[in-house]
Amino acid sequence: MSIAFADRSLLRPASLPVPEPGLTVEELVARAVALRPVLRDQQAENEARGTYGEDLHQAFRKAGFYRITQPRLFGGYEMPLPNFYRVMMEVSRGDPGVGWCLTLGASHGFIVASHWSEEAQRDLYGEDGEFVAPHRAQPMGTVTPVAGGYRVNGKWNYCSGIPHATHFIGTAMLRDGDAPPRAMLVAVPRGGYEILPDWGGDEILGMRASGSNSVEIRDTFVPAHFVIPFDVMFARPDGMENGTAGTRLHGNPMYLGRLMGPYHASLVAVVTGAAWAAIDEYERVSGIMKTYIDPDVLRADHFDFQRPLGEALAKADAAEAVLMGAAQRYMDLCARWAKDGTPFTVEDNLRLWTMLQQGGKLAAEVVESLFHNVGAFATKKGNRLQRYFRDVQMYRTHMSAQHQAFATYVARAHLGRPTGFRGL
């Protein structure tokens, strides 16, 4: 069976203008690379602030970084997911904390385009197409039905990207009479939530510039079309025959919106950027510092310091290849569905996640190895390698990076057993 997509250009002109209709991924990458010196110069102040400043926010807006996967109908570039992760990796090479904040604010236009109705998308993207939102996937709030919509209450921690957001997306539990509780996604415009001052400085070990503040919502009303069901990251194959609201509206199979792979790719793009940042710093140090054994020999000329760099380059290349390969596999699975109706299976989703975990693990090992090999001076406050080391430890502790636990889930799915992952 082939999934027929209408030519939307014939049926409906774009509601919003695309700022740079001919923009390419090569130009986006070049813009990210050009910002690298500024990102590195501002690392300390962005850590202290807890996020990047208005100057970088406006630079990211002007560069088009928030619109990469946003649909063209609503003023975005609708680029394939690999393009987005490539750009985010390059930003993170300048500052992983800033990269985390940007990536987790810019990545969720993709989920809105995939799963919210056309009415909701028109309201959420608004008149100018400006949309930046974190999504906190753990249900930490409630939605209560009222006339015309819902009342939202809750407090969500680790809302990375919230300082520069136009909206917040939270997972909340719907309790409606005698019906079983149900997880829902709720989109709340800025002004309907409070950003708590609990991030930045030494509040946390690493990713201090990631803008991962908590969000609190007290009895905020949202219209009914801002709330949709959320079923285990849309990993179940059931009901995919007719696609999603996004595939029907935009005619793009990318908007099937299976989230296990894309969500973890957002983290791995940042950690891979951190790996390249650590390599850059280690190479810089090796070109100016002498060895301990022979004070007349540069580290760059001694095998004891060359070997860690060579291994780091190999692992960083491998991590980047995993990231790009997994992103392309996601696109291929979407294209397969569009061609013959073959759905994503639970195993497909979990294998994308675990494949990316291996890339994240390799990238983290790069930073850790170079930090261990460069010398004790790197442990001092303000040292870039110390900052990158702290940043990747935040990834290492993240629930979604626990590769051994997820290996069990994948094996169970492969063997046709219940995975044990949130009821799958």
Side-chain angles (χ1 to χ4, degrees):
M1 166 174 84
S2 176
I3 308 297
F5 288 117
D7 184 347
R8 292 287 170 183
S9 66
L10 300 177
L11 298 177
R12 182 189 295 111
S15 295
L16 298 174
V18 179
E20 296 178 86
L23 185 63
T24 65
V25 65
E26 289 78 16
E27 178 58 29
L28 284 167
V29 169
R31 292 173 183 181
V33 172
L35 284 169
R36 192 178 299 159
V38 176
L39 288 163
R40 289 183 176 170
D41 286 346
Q42 293 186 4
Q43 283 179 359
E45 65 184 89
N46 288 331
E47 278 204 328
R49 183 192 295 116
T51 184
Y52 49 90
E54 185 64 17
D55 58 339
L56 278 176
H57 175 52
Q58 294 304 324
F60 294 157
R61 286 182 68 245
K62 184 177 180 182
F65 294 166
Y66 294 115
R67 296 176 182 249
I68 296 173
T69 63
Q70 188 168 312
R72 295 187 74 84
L73 183 63
F74 300 118
Y77 299 112
E78 202 167 315
M79 290 186 178
L81 292 188
N83 293 5
F84 175 74
Y85 301 125
R86 172 71 181 175
V87 176
M88 295 301 105
M89 181 182 68
E90 292 296 343
V91 172
S92 301
R93 188 169 181 168
D95 185 337
V98 167
W100 191 283
C101 189
L102 171 64
T103 304
L104 295 185
S107 62
H108 297 115
F110 162 75
I111 181 180
V112 169
S114 297
H115 295 294
W116 269 260
S117 68
E118 178 177 354
E119 179 187 13
Q121 291 189 41
R122 290 188 181 278
D123 288 347
L124 292 170
Y125 288 117
E127 296 181 355
D128 55 11
E130 296 287 345
F131 185 87
V132 182
H135 170 214
R136 190 66 173 99
Q138 191 170 353
M140 296 182 173
T142 60
V143 288
T144 304
V146 295
Y150 297 88
R151 290 285 175 185
V152 186
N153 286 277
K155 183 177 177 181
W156 292 260
N157 58 8
Y158 297 108
C159 301
S160 304
I162 195 64
H164 302 284
T166 61
H167 297 75
F168 169 69
I169 301 173
T171 305
M173 297 305 295
L174 170 63
R175 292 180 171 85
D176 188 8
D178 295 331
R182 188 177 188 186
M184 309 294 284
L185 292 180
V186 54
V188 181
R190 195 177 187 94
Y193 55 84
E194 179 185 358
I195 302 172
L196 303 184
D198 57 357
W199 202 261
D202 59 358
E203 290 286 335
I204 201 77
L205 174 67
M207 291 295 175
R208 293 177 176 178
S210 66
S212 300
N213 302 67
S214 298
V215 163
E216 187 166 11
I217 300 177
R218 302 184 191 92
D219 208 33
T220 294
F221 172 82
V222 296
H225 59 287
F226 279 18
V227 179
I228 64 169
F230 186 41
D231 184 15
V232 199
M233 303 184 78
F234 304 103
R236 300 183 196 277
D238 317 65
M240 286 183 63
E241 296 79 9
N242 296 316
T244 64
T247 59
R248 294 188 293 272
L249 177 60
H250 304 296
N252 187 339
M254 176 176 78
Y255 294 126
L256 276 175
R258 310 296 103 179
L259 299 185
M260 285 190 170
Y263 267 31
H264 200 66
S266 292
L267 308 188
V268 175
V270 175
V271 180
T272 305
W276 287 116
I279 287 171
D280 292 342
E281 182 64 11
Y282 185 91
E283 184 175 356
R284 185 191 70 82
V285 169
S286 296
I288 59 175
M289 291 185 68
K290 303 295 181 63
T291 67
Y292 302 116
I293 304 302
D294 187 343
D296 293 325
V297 176
L298 277 174
R299 293 180 174 200
D301 296 320
H302 196 283
F303 62 84
D304 280 344
F305 295 92
Q306 294 167 342
R307 185 185 301 110
L309 178 61
E311 290 183 344
L313 289 164
K315 287 187 175 183
D317 280 336
E320 184 175 332
V322 169
L323 172 65
M324 293 295 108
Q328 186 57 51
R329 181 180 290 185
Y330 173 87
M331 299 298 294
D332 292 344
L333 288 167
C334 290
R336 184 187 69 177
W337 169 83
K339 178 181 179 181
D340 58 23
T342 303
F344 268 73
T345 65
V346 169
E347 182 181 351
D348 289 332
N349 280 277
L350 284 168
R351 285 179 69 171
L352 279 174
W353 196 332
T354 53
M355 176 182 177
L356 284 157
Q357 285 177 332
Q358 294 302 312
K361 179 172 174 286
L362 286 168
E365 288 174 357
V366 169
V367 180
E368 291 159 356
S369 174
L370 295 181
F371 178 72
H372 295 155
N373 278 280
V374 77
F377 74 91
T379 64
K380 291 184 178 180
K381 181 179 179 180
N383 186 278
R384 286 178 179 169
L385 277 168
Q386 186 239 49
R387 182 174 292 119
Y388 304 150
F389 178 81
R390 289 189 285 104
D391 286 345
V392 300
Q393 299 318 301
M394 297 298 289
Y395 170 77
R396 287 285 206 179
T397 64
H398 202 287
M399 180 280 295
S400 66
Q402 305 312 308
H403 56 91
Q404 291 181 322
F406 279 78
T408 301
Y409 303 143
V410 164
R412 288 172 176 167
H414 185 72
L415 294 169
R417 272 66 168 175
T419 69
F421 182 81
R422 296 185 180 178
L424 287 177

